[in-house]
Amino acid sequence: MDFRLGELFCGPGGIAIGARDAAFEHNGEIYSISHEWANDYEKDTCETYSKNICPENVGSVICEDVRKLDIDNLSQIDGLAFGFPCNDFSIVGEQKGFEGNYGPLYTYGIKALNKFQPSWFLAENVGGLRNSNDGNAFQTIIDELTATGYNVVANLYKFENYEVPQARHRIIIVGIRNDLGLTFKVPIIKNPKTITSREAIEIPSIPTNAPNNELTRQSENVIERLKHIKPGQNAFNATIPDHLKLNVKGAQISQIYKRLDPNKPAYTVTGSGGGGTHIYHWEENRALTNRERARLQTFPDDFVFCGSKESVRKQIGMAVPPKGVKLIFESILKTFARIPYDSVLPNIETRNRDLFGKMVMEPTEDYITN
């Protein structure tokens, strides 16, 4: 059973790799997910996706604003993935929600669901989505996804618990079409191994000819500042001479000139930000290379990102970790194959405001083993 996958806001291909790698055989039948078409609006991102995911069919990647995309001319799909833009829902930012430029873009996923009625969908966004517009944005999105005819399960995934070497927390919503009579369960790894940033970057060592591995030029001032910052510290909690301290008033972002702790997963890899936001090596006085950042995001070393160094940085930071999403896709396939897997109750619960007032979302520790 092969599911043809369509993607909106596809990014460089993190979701596509996870989907591709989730395939398995059961009772003589192959369960798999194959690329059908994808859409994004940034040229470098589309080139990266085409080069690595579908080099034999680059025309299946439509590079244009989703608001201009003619979905009527797209081929039929069995699964839909859309990591709709998070800019207006992220806790780092103004949190404009639906009132921003990006907040309403999830509706194009709704349109695709209504048109194609695929067997399942997967939608991804930042954890801040829960609180945007006082929780109204999240509830509205859940309601509209449900209204398209799907049994919807939302969960806040902490990817470091899924053997990703990074503390990256994302809401992933999975829906299975109601008439299929199947219910997705949130997968868990019972005894996950903690993958540290040192392990991710050094084991195995990055090949000398690996793509996207250029060093960033650091100013003497930055190098001197980093000499005073210990692993796990940042520019504000380290003991730094006055002439090297940052002149910052108001909020102090903890990731500014923050070194990795080599004995822990990395902090969240981001795709934008000025000086001091590039993630810094625990020992060497420098920012990470893009290939090292890609390692933290679990991209394979032969995955080539296209574009300038800053464009590549953005693509890596905005991507979904392939290793983390692979397990979710695998669980979707197991649901259709009716194969039991270890699961946990969703840690996001949406409740009817008419009955309970303000929406409540509580984590649960009730584990289910199937």
Side-chain angles (χ1 to χ4, degrees), residues 8-305:
L8 299 176
F9 321 105
C10 64
I15 284 178
I17 294 176
R20 180 195 66 194
D21 293 349
F24 60 82
E25 182 179 350
H26 178 65
N27 290 338
E29 184 173 3
I30 300 294
Y31 288 82
S32 60
I33 303 169
S34 61
H35 164 79
E36 181 68 20
W37 50 257
N39 164 252
D40 205 286
Y41 77 103
E42 292 193 340
K43 180 177 180 291
D44 291 341
T45 299
C46 291
E47 287 186 10
T48 297
Y49 188 104
S50 299
K51 183 178 184 69
N52 295 275
I53 305 302
C54 53
E56 75 294 338
N57 187 16
V58 295
S60 64
V61 181
I62 305 97
C63 192
E64 67 180 24
D65 191 318
V66 70
R67 288 167 286 204
K68 299 178 181 178
L69 181 66
D70 184 2
I71 66 171
D72 290 331
N73 282 331
L74 297 175
S75 53
Q76 182 60 40
I77 53 174
D78 309 300
L80 175 71
F82 55 109
F84 53 104
C86 63
N87 310 54
D88 292 323
F89 299 120
S90 175
I91 59 173
V92 180
E94 299 179 51
Q95 282 195 283
K96 294 181 179 179
F98 289 153
E99 297 171 6
N101 292 326
Y102 300 98
L105 294 182
Y106 80 94
T107 59
Y108 291 87
I110 300 291
K111 290 180 180 179
L113 289 174
N114 281 324
K115 172 176 172 52
F116 297 108
Q117 283 288 289
S119 299
W120 53 265
F121 73 81
L122 180 148
E124 179 266 350
N125 208 274
V126 293
L129 173 63
R130 292 175 300 169
N131 304 314
S132 186
N133 299 113
D134 295 324
N136 289 298
F138 180 74
Q139 184 65 54
T140 297
I141 291 170
I142 292 295
D143 289 346
E144 292 191 22
L145 289 170
T146 301
T148 60
Y150 289 81
N151 183 347
V152 175
V153 176
N155 193 68
L156 178 67
Y157 289 82
K158 296 184 177 181
F159 282 121
E160 64 270 32
N161 295 331
Y162 290 81
E163 300 184 348
V164 171
Q166 180 190 168
R168 192 178 190 89
H169 302 167
R170 292 293 185 268
I171 289 175
I172 291 183
I173 307 166
V174 173
I176 296 181
R177 208 174 62 222
N178 288 332
D179 65 296
L180 297 174
L182 299 170
T183 300
F184 175 79
K185 296 180 180 180
V186 176
I188 58 167
I189 298 177
K190 270 192 168 181
N191 298 298
K193 179 184 177 183
T194 298
I195 309 297
T196 68
S197 55
R198 184 198 296 273
E199 289 174 309
I201 290 173
E202 293 188 347
I203 304 174
S205 59
I206 296 174
T208 55
N209 62 344
N212 310 115
N213 200 35
E214 305 88 354
L215 290 170
T216 298
R217 293 181 181 177
Q218 310 286 183
S219 70
E220 288 300 320
N221 217 36
V222 168
I223 292 172
E224 286 302 310
R225 182 179 295 120
L226 288 171
K227 289 179 180 179
H228 297 276
I229 300 175
K230 298 177 181 179
Q233 290 185 335
N234 61 50
F236 302 112
N237 61 17
T239 302
I240 299 176
D242 288 344
H243 72 284
L244 293 173
K245 289 182 178 178
L246 299 178
N247 183 20
V248 176
K249 296 180 180 180
Q252 297 180 348
I253 300 175
S254 65
Q255 293 193 7
I256 300 296
Y257 291 109
K258 184 174 182 178
R259 284 193 186 271
L260 294 173
D261 184 330
N263 300 314
K264 296 180 180 179
Y267 53 93
T268 305
V269 176
T270 58
S272 61
T277 63
H278 289 67
I279 303 187
Y280 293 83
H281 197 275
W282 59 86
E283 184 177 22
E284 300 175 22
N285 297 318
R286 63 173 179 84
L288 296 189
T289 68
N290 276 325
R291 179 50 53 190
E292 290 169 331
R293 291 160 56 83
R295 278 273 184 104
L296 298 178
Q297 281 278 59
T298 69
F299 279 92
D301 287 344
D302 61 357
F303 191 98
V304 179
F305 293 88

